Each structure stands twice: as structure tokens, then as C-alpha cells.
Amino acid sequence: MAKPNRIFLIGPMGAGKTTIGRNLANQLGLTFTDSDQEIQKRTGVDIPTIFEYEGEQGFRDREQAVIDELTQRDHVVLATGGGAVVRPLNRQNLSARGIVVYLQCSPEQQYERTYRDKKRPLIQTEDPLGRLRELMAEREPLYREAADYTVSTEGRSASTVARDILEQVS
């Protein structure tokens, strides 16, 4: 079987999309791109700043445009933001244009991996773990709807997960 040309990683914040995506791209000889990093590069500001000035809606508009563009590139592993799946057009573009891998992990694991990170506006709340649980309840069906494959990252190294993905998609 030919090696995949476009692999799109979806899943909640802290699932390891960026780290695993880089690892996977290296193993496949593809270019790695992260939609959140691309948005930051284009705007010149970080995501919390976009949320502060434009709200979540403004950020999602920017994200949708970037995902539309990036999913049309060849030879790419794309890591999307955790909320990318909330927009139906994003799910449609991801599903139609490449192999979609849902990196699954529990809200507890997400919390362990993200609680110190102040650059994640959706969990800057009194109860970040509770917020992560709410987000997972809302988004899990959307991740599953868009995914061709589901791979757990729970307590696993990026290289192990990347190997699992390679075995499934090749």
C-alpha cells in the first residue's frame, strides 16, 4: 500500500497532536503543520490574544479558513486545534481530503498535560478539569464522526502512538 499523503490529527487539547504529529511526519518524510501555530504565525499574536479581542467565534472563523487551506496541501501531517471539529465544514474538509486520526485521551490525562499551560484560554477557569470534561462530552461524538481511525494516547509515548498510527494507515 502506498504511504499516506495527508494525515490529519484531531482530538482534545493535551492529547499530543503536535508532538505525535511531528514524530509521524518525520517517520513518513512528510511536512508537519499545526493549525494553531499557523494561525499565530499569520496573525502575529498568540491564541489567548485572539480570543480576548475576537472571542471564540473570531478564532473559529480564522481556524476554519486555515484548515480549509491546509487540508488541500499534499505530503502533510496536520495537527488541528482541539475545537476544530465543532465546525461542520472543518469536519467535512478533514474527512474528504485525507486520513483523519482521532487521538483519544481522558480529561484527567488532558488535565495532567495542560494544567500549567496559561496559553489555553478555554481552561482558564475555576475548575479546569470540569471544563475539560464538559468539552469532551460535547466534542467526543464529533471526533468520532470525523475519524477514520482512533488511537489512544493515554499514558503512552509519542513514538509508540506514532508507530501505532503508521501500522493502521499504511
Side-chain angles (χ1 to χ4, degrees), residues 77-143:
V77 173
L78 171 65
T80 61
V85 296
V86 301
R87 291 267 176 107
L89 186 59
N90 288 344
R91 294 193 306 276
Q92 179 183 328
N93 287 339
L94 290 161
S95 294
R97 296 176 180 166
I99 297 169
V100 181
V101 181
Y102 166 30
L103 298 182
Q104 182 183 45
C105 74
S106 70
E108 291 73 21
Q109 178 83 78
Q110 290 175 260
Y111 179 75
E112 276 303 306
R113 293 175 179 169
T114 62
Y115 77 94
R116 290 180 218 81
D117 189 345
K118 300 301 177 213
K119 299 227 182 267
R120 298 182 185 264
L122 292 179
I123 58 168
Q124 300 310 308
T125 68
E126 289 293 310
D127 180 14
L129 180 56
R131 183 68 182 129
L132 289 168
R133 287 180 176 136
E134 287 170 17
L135 289 169
M136 181 57 83
E138 292 166 17
R139 295 173 179 175
E140 171 99 15
L142 305 176
Y143 294 136

Side-chain angles (χ1 to χ4, degrees), residues 47-99:
I47 289 172
T49 303
I50 297 170
F51 266 73
E52 182 182 338
Y53 287 96
E54 299 180 5
E56 185 172 357
Q57 188 71 33
F59 172 76
R60 296 289 171 217
D61 291 344
R62 289 179 182 278
E63 179 180 59
Q64 183 172 301
V66 163
I67 286 175
D68 181 34
E69 182 187 319
L70 296 178
T71 55
Q72 295 180 65
R73 291 184 182 173
D74 287 328
H75 313 292
V76 69
V77 173
L78 171 65
T80 61
V85 296
V86 301
R87 291 267 176 107
L89 186 59
N90 288 344
R91 294 193 306 276
Q92 179 183 328
N93 287 339
L94 290 161
S95 294
R97 296 176 180 166
I99 297 169

